Amino acid sequence: MLDRQGREIHYLRMSVTDRCNLRCRYCMSEEGVNWLPKQELLSDEQFARLARLLAGLGVDKVRLTGGEPLLRQGLDRLVGMLRDIDGLHTLALTTNGVLLEEQLPALVKAGLNEVNVSLDTLDRTQYAKIARRDALPQALAGLRAAVETPGLVVKVNCVPIGENDEQLVPLASLAEGGGVTVRFIELMPLGLGASLQRRTERQVLERLEAAYGPARPAEESGRAGPARYVTFPGFKGKVGFISALSHRFCSGCNRVRLTAAGFLKTCLQYEKGIDLKPLLNAGAQDADIFAAIQEAIWEKPQGHHFGTPPAGGDERRNMNEIGG
Ligand code: SAM
Ligand code: SF4
């Protein structure tokens, strides 16, 4: 459906848990994580019901995220339920990859067709510093399993935060052979991300061009999202940039987010949206939930205001509660 700004909303990011087995410094605090009580998480049936209603409004892609989505028990069951919804053509997962090797076969069998693995460095010591867990070997095993799965679309997402400067070229080289697309995501000043150093798209690109030569635009695949893609001489694959600050993409925003507790968020930076949980708990009819979703999407904010002082209504939660 179209929102008030005329943007077509067809992509749902669904956070299936707020829990995580890592503690990335830009996303979660080391201590004092107050997990949602289990009974507050939506059930598979509730997630599938909301996804079906959203598909009725034109959503054709769902991404499972978190927290770490692979910590949700029986994620393949939910994937299977989503696969059976008319109109949902793409079922994607964003994961830190640590538990991926073990779970991937069941997820693919259930209908998963895209996986993004978050990886900020290929250096084990640095990984343990950024993610606060020594889990690089498991994450790489997960990535390898994904790349070796026929037909699965695989991307690597890296957040450049200064200390991983030296790793940007090695990470980009994963795209050289063409099996993986590598994307650099500008750190967003949200939650803990506000206190860390950020590298801009230009800074990252300069580094990559110094190593690989001039970048040239790469063909977009699928419908326009926030990423801009380039490729380098000798590369079979693509390198992408998602730059919320230096290349604001709000005018082309195509997504809404559903938190693990059932809040439909219509912009990353604002608390704005609608809490669908009370409607679900009160036994509301599909038509009433449908109308509530339609109204919230229509009112989707025009854009973020990262880079200007905090304002009323800004999101206060950390990324693990929102899903990135
Ligand atoms: N645990 C999974 C993972 O790490 O891929 C999924 C959830 S995580 C919140 C989703 C994405 O958000 C990750 O790629 C992570 O790097 C990114 N992220 C977290 N905090 C961020 C921030 N402040 N700015 C930009 N990206 C962020
Ligand atoms: Fe966990 Fe993902 Fe956040 Fe890292 S970015 S702490 S893996 S939710």
Side-chain angles (χ1 to χ4, degrees):
M1 77 169 270
L2 298 182
D3 72 356
R4 186 189 276 283
Q5 321 292 333
R7 296 172 294 195
E8 192 190 345
I9 309 305
H10 67 91
Y11 173 25
L12 170 67
R13 294 180 67 98
M14 193 182 254
S15 174
V16 296
T17 177
D18 60 336
R19 288 165 202 251
C20 192
N21 44 1
L22 302 183
R23 294 288 183 277
C24 302
R25 294 215 314 273
Y26 46 73
C27 180
M28 281 176 72
S29 62
E30 189 164 23
E31 309 293 340
V33 178
N34 290 322
W35 307 122
L36 279 171
K38 255 200 165 152
Q39 65 274 17
E40 285 198 20
L41 298 185
L42 294 193
S43 64
D44 289 350
E45 285 70 17
Q46 289 173 322
F47 272 127
R49 182 179 180 198
L50 295 179
R52 181 171 51 76
L53 292 173
L54 278 148
L57 283 169
V59 165
D60 59 7
K61 172 173 178 175
V62 173
R63 176 174 300 285
L64 302 167
T65 175
E68 174 47 42
L70 299 182
L71 289 181
R72 184 177 170 107
Q73 289 221 326
L75 192 66
D76 58 319
R77 177 174 185 265
L78 177 57
V79 170
M81 291 167 80
L82 297 175
R83 179 199 53 204
D84 291 339
I85 295 173
D86 279 346
L88 285 189
H89 304 305
T90 308
L91 297 181
L93 172 76
T94 293
T95 171
N96 59 35
V98 173
L99 299 171
L100 189 60
E101 186 182 22
E102 179 192 328
Q103 296 190 26
L104 191 61
L107 291 167
V108 170
K109 195 168 166 213
L112 190 76
N113 33 41
E114 275 191 32
V115 173
N116 289 0
V117 178
S118 302
L119 199 57
D120 296 328
T121 176
L122 296 169
D123 178 276
R124 186 167 177 173
T125 308
Q126 189 174 70
Y127 185 98
K129 264 182 79 187
I130 296 175
R132 299 199 187 96
R133 297 288 186 271
D134 178 20
L136 181 65
Q138 294 92 314
L140 290 178
L143 175 60
R144 202 171 310 119
V147 172
E148 287 170 0
T149 302
L152 193 66
V153 175
V154 186
K155 298 185 188 125
V156 165
N157 287 339
C158 162
V159 182
I161 52 171
E163 66 192 81
N164 56 353
D165 276 350
E166 302 302 326
Q167 287 291 312
L168 305 182
V169 168
L171 280 165
S173 76
L174 296 175
E176 228 170 327
V180 179
T181 296
V182 177
R183 305 183 319 164
F184 295 96
I185 303 179
E186 261 181 20
L187 179 73
M188 288 180 261
L190 230 158
L192 293 158
S195 57
L196 292 179
Q197 199 180 17
R198 173 173 66 89
R199 291 285 187 245
T200 62
E201 174 173 332
R202 169 141 299 284
Q203 288 169 317
V204 176
L205 190 58
E206 274 170 10
R207 222 167 238 282
L208 301 187
E209 287 193 315
Y212 296 119
R216 59 171 202 283
E219 257 177 54
E220 296 277 343
S221 55
R223 281 199 260 182
R228 307 188 321 142
Y229 290 99
V230 299
T231 189
F232 296 94
F235 268 55
K236 288 195 183 132
K238 293 185 293 188
V239 172
F241 296 91
I242 301 179
S243 310
L245 282 101
S246 62
H247 291 90
R248 189 188 168 93
F249 43 65
C250 301
S251 63
C253 188
N254 56 9
R255 63 203 56 200
V256 288
R257 295 171 165 82
L258 185 62
T259 71
F263 190 92
L264 186 76
K265 251 182 92 56
T266 50
C267 176
L268 191 59
Q269 194 179 9
Y270 297 98
E271 284 175 327
K272 215 167 161 33
I274 180 163
D275 191 357
L276 297 171
K277 191 69 170 301
L279 287 173
L280 292 170
N281 287 347
Q285 300 291 310
D286 278 358
D288 296 327
I289 302 178
F290 195 79
I293 293 174
Q294 257 180 322
E295 190 185 333
I297 292 181
W298 179 252
E299 297 296 340
K300 181 175 159 70
Q302 192 173 5
H304 68 67
H305 69 93
F306 291 143
T308 65
D314 281 1
E315 183 57 78
R316 284 166 299 176
R317 289 174 287 195
N318 280 322
M319 222 40 136
N320 71 298
E321 297 165 272
I322 304 171

